[in-house]
Amino acid sequence: MTHTEHASAGPAALPSDLDEAVHRCLVAGFDGTTTVPDTLKRLIDRGLGGVILFTRNVRDAEQVRELTDALRAIRPDLLVGIDNEGGGIGHLVSADAPEVPGSFALGVVDDTELTARCADALAGHLASLGITASYAPVADLQHQPRNPIVRTRSFGADPELVSRHLRAWITATQARGVASCAKHFPGHGGTVTDSHHDVAVDPRAYDELDLAPFRAAIAAGVPMLMSAHVVFPALDPDRPATLSPRILSGLLRDELGFDGVLVSDALEMKAIADRYGEAAGARLALAAGADQVIVAVPDLAVTVGCRDAVLDAVGSGALSVERVREAADRARRLAERYAAPARRGAVAGWDAGAGLEGARRAVRVPAAPVRGAHVVDLFPPPHPALNWGGEDLLTEVRALDPTATGTVVTDAPADAAGLVTEILRRAEGVPLVVATCDAGLHPWQSVLRDALLARRPDAVRVSTGLPDGGDVCSYGRGRVNLRAVAEVLVGV
């Protein structure tokens, strides 16, 4: 069901201050790199709480700064945010973003000072672009082997380790004047479903849930938390956390004592959009205790539909005025602290080498150099909401060893046996490297890998996701992760 099926014929007319309060509860995505759409201008004029940028809004660093300046010229207290976890999530690659590994590699290294340096580099770069809100870090624990969405975005499975790296990341980000956001409350790591595609369920008992990292983030002063589109039967069997008063108001506010801004994950994700519709999702999330809802799609009609549904709910009394004002007040306090960007040229430099250092230190199992190898890199296509790079190991190896050859495969081949035969023909007489990325989630990778190893047991095995029995593991597919593995393989 879409937002148009849930929205009423027209929005209710509210007093101007209440209309502004409703708009403060919205964060919108949009299309464009240099021009602000008229619909977005009207939303900002009426008090829109924030915008979220994606790869579609980025051409280069100067263009991004001009865009953020243009947005704030409409309304200075507009919060400009972006997903900025590092690793394979690279919305700002073309804007010269610092390259850092995903969080799991930093957890493997377990050096909180290094984590802080990586977070500082990302936050410093954001500040230089006029972006003052980062929807990171991930506070989820990665302990469910079949989890398809958290994985190397998490610092690890140990709550103590994850908590100390969260503290380091949050503290470093805040020091740059950038708002951090721990996500996805109360944890997405215990699921086997990606909430981008369907409702995810964590079936564990209450005392088994992953609350410790969120407690640590709150204690560290994180100004924002993001909710998960996950159903927790032990907490609320009927609604995902984003729409659950028991979880957002009862657990997070009353039990954990969080008084910062609670923002929803994107409402167009199918866990919400397919079952409730984006517009109803916005109304229900705010009623449950969210302060801001993200509508990340560039089609601003979806955002307007969500806005109209909330206006109607307030006008009819279905959504209390007090709840909206409370949410808007939190959003306003956040903007007062973080909306104003640093002056151009006033941002101190950062350690551009911290990310590669972290990636190198995470590769803990060295292999003998294999120059002139044939490199087979098997990995799924980039997640449309997360990974916009699609970097491959072969490119990084060839940058160091031009004599290397290779084969890159990003989906199940039509003729697996024929592909194996062709790879073995091309690799005859030279070393063979076989790299997989989370092969347990993608059986076609296991089929190809096992067939190759059966005929070339001497092949070097590489894991570029979580460990998968390889000789070398990068713990992520960010460019610096792959570069660090390439250095080990080539011997530089």
Side-chain angles (χ1 to χ4, degrees):
M1 194 172 289
T2 66
H3 73 284
T4 55
E5 294 174 272
H6 286 266
S8 61
L14 300 177
S16 60
D17 63 330
L18 189 52
D19 181 87
E20 179 181 329
V22 167
H23 283 80
R24 280 198 179 270
C25 297
L26 299 169
V27 176
F30 65 99
D31 247 336
T33 56
T34 56
T35 303
V36 180
D38 289 340
T39 299
L40 183 60
K41 289 179 181 177
R42 289 191 291 271
L43 289 168
I44 296 171
D45 278 334
R46 289 174 67 174
L48 184 72
V51 295
I52 180 169
L53 305 182
F54 288 90
T55 304
R56 61 178 178 253
N57 305 115
V58 177
R59 190 174 64 219
D60 56 53
E62 180 59 26
Q63 166 268 319
V64 174
R65 183 65 199 229
E66 290 177 356
L67 178 61
T68 60
D69 287 346
L71 288 163
R72 288 197 183 87
I74 304 169
R75 191 176 178 113
D77 62 350
L78 180 73
L79 203 67
V80 180
I82 196 166
D83 284 324
N84 203 45
E85 301 170 20
I89 301 181
H91 299 303
L92 292 168
V93 168
S94 63
D96 304 319
E99 294 183 3
V100 305
S103 294
F104 204 95
L106 295 175
V108 167
V109 176
D110 196 14
D111 179 345
T112 55
E113 189 272 337
L114 175 63
T115 293
R117 285 160 54 204
C118 288
D120 173 74
L122 291 175
H125 180 247
L126 290 186
S128 74
L129 300 177
I131 300 172
T132 58
S134 173
Y135 294 111
V138 168
D140 307 318
L141 300 182
Q142 173 51 44
H143 49 65
Q144 165 56 263
R146 294 172 55 214
N147 185 289
I149 188 61
V150 174
R151 308 192 74 77
T152 58
R153 299 168 66 198
S154 166
F155 287 107
D158 177 9
E160 292 291 333
L161 179 147
V162 171
S163 293
R164 61 178 172 264
H165 286 274
L166 284 173
R167 287 191 291 267
W169 186 291
I170 291 165
T171 301
T173 303
Q174 302 302 106
R176 286 284 188 175
V178 174
S180 55
C181 178
K183 58 188 185 184
H184 308 78
F185 183 81
H188 208 320
T191 73
V192 295
T193 303
D194 178 354
S195 56
H196 290 88
H197 303 311
D198 202 351
V199 174
V201 178
D202 188 328
R204 294 175 296 167
Y206 171 78
D207 59 2
E208 297 175 339
L209 298 180
D210 304 328
L211 298 179
F214 294 97
R215 293 181 190 273
I218 293 169
V222 71
M224 291 191 289
L225 289 180
M226 180 181 288
S227 65
H229 299 332
V230 175
V231 174
F232 296 84
L235 300 172
D236 185 338
D238 301 319
R239 289 185 176 180
T242 295
L243 309 182
S244 171
R246 297 182 197 174
I247 295 174
L248 302 190
S249 297
L251 176 59
L252 182 59
R253 300 295 190 194
D254 298 340
E255 183 176 332
L256 301 189
F258 179 63
D259 193 40
V261 167
L262 175 60
V263 62
S264 78
D265 209 342
L267 294 180
E268 70 275 6
M269 292 166 62
K270 292 183 181 299
I272 300 297
D274 283 2
R275 184 161 299 193
Y276 302 92
E278 298 95 330
R283 172 178 57 80
L284 292 170
L286 292 171
D291 301 308
Q292 290 188 319
V293 293
I294 294 178
V295 188
V297 289
D299 181 1
L300 287 165
V302 182
T303 302
V304 170
C306 292
R307 186 273 314 274
D308 290 352
V310 176
L311 288 173
D312 281 342
V314 174
S316 69
L319 178 59
S320 77
V321 170
E322 293 76 14
R323 173 78 271 274
V324 170
R325 291 197 187 280
E326 174 191 52
D329 284 345
R330 288 199 184 101
R332 186 178 294 108
R333 291 196 298 270
L334 184 75
E336 288 171 353
R337 185 175 176 187
Y338 293 104
R343 299 188 314 277
R344 282 178 176 260
V347 178
W350 52 83
D351 184 351
L356 183 55
E357 177 188 336
R360 286 168 171 162
R361 289 172 62 185
V363 181
R364 289 188 167 176
V365 185
V370 285
R371 284 185 171 270
H374 189 84
V375 178
V376 181
D377 193 11
L378 312 176
F379 61 97
H383 193 294
L386 301 177
N387 187 327
W388 298 81
E391 298 85 359
D392 66 86
L393 179 60
L394 175 60
T395 297
E396 296 301 326
V397 170
R398 285 183 55 80
L400 302 174
D401 176 13
T403 67
T405 59
T407 305
V408 174
V409 187
T410 63
D411 206 347
D415 180 9
L419 178 59
V420 168
T421 298
E422 175 61 18
I423 289 172
L424 291 171
R425 183 191 66 77
R426 295 183 64 195
E428 187 173 357
V430 300
L432 178 64
V433 174
V434 180
T436 56
C437 179
D438 296 332
L441 298 180
H442 307 282
W444 63 268
Q445 293 186 39
S446 299
V447 169
L448 291 175
R449 177 198 62 201
D450 294 348
L452 289 168
L453 292 176
R455 295 169 62 181
R456 284 289 303 268
D458 62 314
V460 176
R461 290 181 58 185
V462 176
S463 300
T464 62
L466 294 177
D468 190 32
D471 301 304
V472 181
C473 185
S474 65
Y475 303 99
R477 285 198 67 91
R479 184 173 282 111
V480 285
N481 297 107
L482 299 180
R483 188 177 309 156
V485 169
E487 290 174 352
V488 168
L489 293 174
V490 175
V492 300

